[in-house]
Amino acid sequence: MEICIHSSLLQPYIVKSTIRSFGQAEIIIGALTQRLRVYISAKPYILDYLLSLYICDDPRTQSSISSVLSRVPAPGSNFNRIPQSQPARKMSTGFASFLAVLCFMYAFSNDPVEARIIGFKPSSEKLDDSLVYLWPLPSELSHGNATMSVDPDLSLEFGGDGGNSSIVREAFQRYKEIIFKHSFRFVDRRTRTKAVYDITKIKVTVVSDNETLHLGVDESYFLYVAREDGHSIVRQAAIEANTVYGALRGLETFSQLCSFNYGTKTVEVYNAPWYIHDEPRFVFRGLLLDTSRHYLPINVIKQVIESMSYAKLNVLHWHIIDEQSFPLEIPSYPDLWKGAYTKWERYTVEDAYEVVNFAKMRGINIMAEIDIPGHAESWGIGYPDLWPSSTCREPLDVANNFTFDVISGILTDMRQIFPFELFHLGGDEVNTDCWSSTLHVKEWLQEHNMTGKDAYQYFVLKAQEMAIVRNWIPVNWEETFNTFKDRLNPQTVVHNWLGPGVCPKVVANGLRCIYSNQGVWYLDHLDITWESFYNSEPLEGINDTLEQDLVLGGEVCMWGETADTSDVQQTIWPRAAAAAERLWSRREAISAGNISLTVLPRLHYFRCLLNRRGVPAAPVTNEYARSPPIGPASCYDQ
């Protein structure tokens, strides 16, 4: 079928484009929506006369159009008060309703409509090409059946206020190196100019030039890959996004569409044209990395961050400090990092800045943690007064004002390094017995009419106040909620870990929650299979939509007792990718069917993609994670 879209606002984008599926139509309309985003944000009343749509030469749809257009909000309606980040999404919903009418009508006509579940030609003939070998699975997509070649000299064209961002330009160079890793070795530069390629450039349009990376930043994008044939609104390859971080996610998806053809020794995109509209399901998609139990060099932390971007994870929870070691430099209290294992296993302030900036260039926030008062024995190596006594080294001394002076100094120094609005204050596994058995602490408790439990609450709430004063939102492990939920600051984000059923209780109390059930999302538990990671649902048991919105997302945890530089990546991947798709993709799209048939082949493929990119991801189906293969086989079968 053909759809024509005419509007004076769209000039010069008068469109006549062949539409072969509902998904393709929906995404093309989305492209037009993107171009109008800034204008609509400034003048929402423009929706009164925004578009006139009709099916070319087809009178059957005229009555349907008028009924759909009648739903456009009138001036002064509640729509006018929607924040600027939302108008385009609201308008897209209207377009979806309109397109649904068209597609239902055409479902009864003789015009074929493609299936919504699509595939692309894999590099191995063993793979099921009815599946979608993109990870994580995009929100909406459509495709054709053509093959397009990609120029090794692929160039970047940018548009919009944020398209020329250094974040976009550097990402383009990184992905170009990934995409053409093979072809640069094989292609003779003397003959390259004679070849004719279907895709010679990719245009990245970014609406906003605001590069602030914050919780809930818009990561949505549209990606189009199509031939320039005179009938399509798409020209070769294009990404459109509201922010640079949406553009990053689009570039990752584009890189996964590109495949090296060993026969022609060229990079190709199969099953073109592609029309993809994508956005994450959860705003917080995290990975905890523990550098206290085993020190990880900066380059290893960077490798982990790089690999996170391939799975569209967006928060590295840096568990820098714990009872075993204190490796971070704190200028206000310079003896604290005497608690490092050795003088060579430390992070300078400059190291921490480097990690934060490296992560930002990949759209990843760093959420730092100091786990207080219970996991802090290493603090006393440099400042013994932080210990209640030489035989009671944790929890930190609640009776000593110096303890809170040090915490204040740490938070002040770390606030200069970590801009992310969430800061983790720990609060788990606090055994207060030695407080009660240490004379001066016991006297302080009696003086303040407190039990050990009361003092635990006092300590946590005081630390929360310190963080909030510094414009941080406090995150605490779930024991704080389990012990004194009614006293927690209303801004508190509760981090689940002990087991299931916690987030439903948290959100029912009006607090926000991060899901990390240790029985299914702890990477150091080597017996947890990829299926458990994949099937675990953060919204399980939460049916109220307002309460569901309080679940920020989830986080897989790489605790470091048995992981160091030699095996940390093998322990993280590929199981973390299973959780990453759960956190990104639509629940209904990934929760149906037999995952051994619909997901496992795709996870095999993504694991092999990680290997090709230099990430030592372990086999998917091993009985124990990170163990080597049990025998000869293809990467796609292990």
Side-chain angles (χ1 to χ4, degrees):
M1 66 180 182
E2 285 188 330
I3 180 171
C4 289
I5 304 169
H6 295 263
S7 169
S8 59
L9 294 175
L10 292 178
Q11 296 288 355
Y13 302 109
I14 301 301
V15 176
K16 181 175 182 181
S17 182
T18 300
I19 306 296
R20 295 184 176 86
S21 73
F22 172 69
Q24 184 179 339
E26 191 172 15
I27 292 165
I28 287 177
I29 296 296
L32 303 175
T33 299
Q34 286 288 91
R35 294 190 175 105
L36 292 166
R37 187 180 300 273
V38 176
Y39 193 74
I40 296 163
S41 296
K43 299 181 178 182
Y45 59 81
I46 204 68
L47 289 177
D48 278 333
Y49 53 90
L50 180 61
L51 289 175
S52 171
L53 299 99
Y54 60 89
I55 296 296
C56 305
D57 304 321
D58 194 334
R60 293 179 295 171
T61 63
Q62 299 307 310
S63 60
S64 299
I65 293 170
S66 60
S67 65
V68 171
L69 293 179
S70 68
R71 300 178 203 161
V72 175
S77 67
N78 289 336
F79 185 84
N80 292 331
R81 292 188 289 275
I82 292 173
Q84 286 194 7
S85 61
Q86 298 184 29
R89 181 172 295 180
K90 286 290 183 181
M91 186 170 67
S92 181
T93 302
F95 281 136
S97 300
F98 171 73
L99 289 166
V101 173
L102 301 184
C103 288
F104 274 117
M105 296 190 70
Y106 271 88
F108 297 98
S109 72
N110 295 323
D111 294 307
V113 178
E114 291 176 349
R116 298 302 308 281
I117 302 299
I118 56 89
F120 88 81
K121 186 177 179 181
S123 58
S124 169
E125 295 303 325
K126 296 181 180 180
L127 299 184
D128 179 356
D129 60 5
S130 70
L131 299 176
V132 184
Y133 291 91
L134 296 173
W135 198 281
L137 191 68
S139 302
E140 303 172 68
L141 41 78
S142 180
H143 81 113
N145 56 14
T147 297
M148 298 178 66
S149 59
V150 186
D151 191 344
D153 290 322
L154 183 72
S155 62
L156 171 66
E157 180 182 339
F158 50 83
D161 292 342
N164 193 27
S165 163
S166 62
I167 293 176
V168 173
R169 286 185 276 108
E170 290 186 25
F172 171 74
Q173 288 301 131
R174 290 196 306 273
Y175 282 111
K176 188 174 178 180
E177 291 176 9
I178 289 172
I179 292 169
F180 298 106
K181 188 173 184 178
H182 262 314
S183 60
F184 276 134
R185 298 207 310 267
F186 288 117
V187 175
D188 188 337
R189 291 183 177 272
R190 293 172 298 179
T191 61
R192 180 188 298 172
T193 54
K194 299 179 182 178
V196 177
Y197 297 96
D198 298 308
I199 302 173
T200 60
K201 66 180 178 181
I202 181 168
K203 181 173 182 179
V204 178
T205 301
V206 179
V207 174
S208 173
D209 61 358
N210 185 347
E211 296 181 357
T212 303
L213 182 58
H214 57 82
L215 183 69
V217 69
D218 191 339
E219 299 175 86
S220 65
Y221 66 91
F222 291 88
L223 170 62
Y224 326 95
V225 182
R227 279 197 172 92
E228 188 170 353
D229 60 5
H231 295 289
S232 174
I233 63 170
V234 179
R235 297 294 181 261
Q236 298 191 12
I239 294 170
E240 297 185 2
N242 289 327
T243 71
V244 293
Y245 305 109
L248 293 183
R249 307 305 175 225
L251 284 168
E252 172 59 39
T253 301
F254 176 74
S255 74
Q256 292 188 25
L257 287 177
C258 296
S259 180
F260 184 72
N261 185 323
Y262 283 83
T264 61
K265 298 180 181 178
T266 58
V267 172
E268 296 174 339
V269 173
Y270 299 110
N271 286 359
W274 286 86
Y275 303 92
I276 297 174
H277 171 223
D278 201 10
E279 60 184 351
R281 182 176 167 218
F282 290 103
V283 299
F284 187 106
R285 307 180 306 281
L287 166 69
L288 179 147
L289 194 63
D290 175 6
T291 60
S292 173
R293 275 53 179 255
H294 278 99
Y295 174 84
L296 297 175
I298 291 296
N299 69 304
V300 174
I301 297 174
K302 287 181 176 180
Q303 290 166 13
V304 171
I305 292 170
E306 190 79 64
S307 62
M308 288 173 65
S309 70
Y310 301 153
K312 298 186 173 74
L313 293 173
N314 70 343
V315 179
L316 178 72
H317 175 177
W318 193 1
H319 191 86
I320 312 176
I321 301 155
D322 210 292
E323 60 190 53
Q324 289 83 4
S325 72
F326 195 118
L328 181 65
E329 178 184 17
I330 302 295
S332 296
Y333 290 91
D335 287 345
L336 280 170
W337 70 350
K338 287 183 177 179
Y341 284 126
T342 67
K343 65 182 180 180
W344 300 284
E345 294 171 293
R346 292 173 169 176
Y347 304 110
T348 65
V349 169
E350 292 77 14
D351 288 335
Y353 273 122
E354 186 177 343
V355 168
V356 170
N357 291 332
F358 183 89
K360 179 181 180 180
M361 297 299 287
R362 288 148 183 82
I364 295 173
N365 281 298
I366 305 293
M367 180 176 70
E369 178 181 1
I370 58 172
D371 195 347
I372 53 177
H375 284 257
E377 180 179 344
S378 62
W379 297 33
I381 303 297
Y383 295 96
D385 287 347
L386 295 171
W387 294 332
S389 71
S390 60
T391 57
C392 175
R393 297 188 169 197
E394 58 182 22
L396 294 170
D397 192 342
V398 67
N400 190 345
N401 287 333
F402 178 65
T403 299
F404 296 99
D405 292 339
V406 172
I407 293 172
S408 178
I410 292 172
L411 293 179
T412 297
D413 288 353
M414 293 181 78
R415 196 64 178 107
Q416 303 302 312
I417 302 171
F418 300 103
F420 188 40
E421 61 261 47
L422 299 184
F423 188 86
H424 210 301
L425 291 167
D428 63 314
E429 299 181 320
V430 178
N431 185 340
T432 63
D433 288 349
C434 80
W435 276 351
S436 301
S437 61
T438 302
L439 182 58
H440 78 278
V441 179
K442 182 178 180 180
E443 291 174 348
W444 184 88
L445 292 174
Q446 292 172 345
E447 180 183 343
H448 291 81
N449 195 28
M450 287 186 186
T451 63
K453 178 181 175 181
D454 296 331
Y456 167 43
Q457 173 184 302
Y458 167 81
F459 199 115
V460 168
L461 296 184
K462 189 163 185 174
Q464 284 193 337
E465 291 173 3
M466 292 179 176
I468 290 169
V469 166
R470 290 164 176 80
N471 294 316
W472 262 324
I473 297 170
V475 183
N476 285 100
W477 293 109
E478 70 173 75
E479 287 95 326
T480 59
F481 175 82
N482 297 337
T483 308
F484 44 89
K485 62 184 178 183
D486 295 330
R487 299 301 302 276
L488 288 172
N489 189 285
Q491 296 186 49
T492 304
V493 177
V494 178
H495 195 166
N496 153 246
W497 74 278
L498 286 172
V502 176
C503 281
K505 297 175 184 176
V506 171
V507 299
N509 278 267
L511 299 176
R512 289 175 289 181
C513 191
I514 296 170
Y515 175 87
S516 290
N517 178 358
Q518 65 171 333
V520 289
W521 274 14
Y522 267 30
L523 292 160
D524 58 308
H525 293 193
L526 303 182
D527 58 339
I528 301 177
T529 63
W530 74 268
E531 293 98 331
S532 294
F533 277 87
Y534 195 84
N535 286 327
S536 299
E537 172 52 50
L539 297 185
E540 188 69 37
I542 306 173
N543 299 317
D544 183 273
T545 54
L546 295 178
E547 291 183 354
Q548 288 178 348
D549 290 341
L550 294 175
V551 179
L552 298 181
E555 173 183 291
V556 291
C557 299
M558 183 61 263
W559 295 106
E561 285 88 348
T562 63
D564 64 5
T565 298
S566 68
D567 61 2
V568 66
Q569 288 279 62
Q570 293 94 319
T571 314
I572 293 171
W573 305 108
R575 292 180 302 160
E581 181 156 282
R582 171 65 55 176
L583 291 167
W584 179 278
S585 304
R586 290 183 174 182
R587 184 176 183 179
E588 59 272 19
I590 62 176
S591 299
N594 182 344
I595 63 172
S596 293
L597 300 176
T598 62
V599 178
L600 180 56
R602 298 176 48 250
L603 186 55
H604 278 309
Y605 189 91
F606 185 71
R607 179 250 171 164
C608 299
L609 178 146
L610 292 174
N611 287 172
R612 291 196 301 272
R613 294 185 180 186
V615 180
V620 176
T621 54
N622 282 359
E623 184 176 357
Y624 289 98
R626 82 180 177 210
S627 55
I630 59 174
S634 164
C635 175
Y636 299 92
D637 294 329
Q638 293 184 326

